[in-house]
Amino acid sequence: MARRGLSSPVRPAPQWWPLIQSQAASGTWPLLVVVHGHAGGVVPAVLQSLLDELAEARRASVWVQALTAEPVVLPPRQQLLLVPLLLTPGSHVRVDVPAIRERLRALGHQVIPLPFLGAWPPWLEHLRKLGCDAQKQVVVHHPLRPGIAERYLHVLSQVIGLPLRSADSCDAELDRVLPLALAPNRMTAHLSNQQGGGLALLEHPASRQFLFELLLDLP
C-alpha cells in the first residue's frame, strides 16, 4: 500500500519504543488491538476499516478486541503486540488491558503490551497540531473519575495547548470543539449540533492517516 504524506512526522517505531527494539529484527508481529467498541461488541466502521487496511499493509494478522465483546479466540501460541487504542488512562487501561494481557499469557501466547495510545508522544504532537490547524478552542472528553485519569488530563491540556472540558459539564454554546474520541459515539453526536464540533478524530483524514502510519511502523 502506498504511504502518503502526513501533517506531522512519524518516527520509525524502534526509535520511540526502546522496550521493543530487539523485536524488530524478528519480522512483523501480529497485533491485538484493544478498542472501546459499541454495545454488543460492535467495532465502529471508521476504526474497523483502518484496521483492515493495516492488516493488509503489514501482511500480518491484526485482531481486534472490543471491550464490549467476548474475548477474542486466537490461534495457539501467538507472539503478538497488545495495542490499546485508548485515549486516557481510565479503568479500561488500568484494569481491563492488564487482564487481557494475563489471560493471553495464561493461554500460552507471548505478549508484549504497549502503552495506551494517549501516551504516545507522536500522537500527542499530532493532537496539538490538529487543534491548532483547525483553530479549536476546547477539547471535550468523557467524564472521568478523580485520580490518575484526571491528572493525565491536566498534563494533556498543557501538552496540546488547549483547555479540556468534561462532556457532562459543557455549555450549550461551546463552539470549535475537538472531541477526544477516536470514533463517533454519543458524545460526538451531541457535539455535532454545535458550531465546528462533532467530528471524531478518525473522521479527520489527517488523523486517520497519521494513526495508520503509527501502527504500520510498529515491529
Side-chain angles (χ1 to χ4, degrees), residues 117-193:
L117 177 60
W120 297 13
W123 176 254
L124 295 177
E125 172 59 20
H126 175 74
L127 289 184
R128 185 198 65 77
K129 192 172 189 305
L130 177 66
C132 180
D133 290 350
Q135 298 183 324
K136 298 298 184 182
Q137 291 186 339
V138 63
V139 175
V140 175
H141 61 85
H142 286 288
L144 295 169
R145 296 175 183 173
I148 293 174
E150 191 174 54
R151 293 194 293 273
Y152 167 82
L153 292 176
H154 176 72
V155 174
L156 178 63
S157 178
Q158 294 179 319
V159 170
I160 66 178
L162 288 171
L164 274 72
R165 298 282 297 276
S166 177
D168 61 356
S169 64
C170 283
D171 300 329
E173 301 302 321
L174 278 179
D175 62 5
R176 296 205 291 274
V177 171
L178 181 65
L180 194 61
L182 280 181
N185 56 27
R186 285 179 292 181
M187 180 178 73
T188 62
H190 172 71
L191 293 172
S192 66
N193 296 322

Side-chain angles (χ1 to χ4, degrees), residues 13 16-17 20 31 58 81 83 114 120 214-219:
W16 50 276
W17 291 122
I20 58 173
L31 306 180
R58 285 176 61 86
L81 299 179
V83 186
L114 299 187
W120 297 13
L214 284 179
L215 298 173
L216 186 60
D217 281 337
L218 291 173

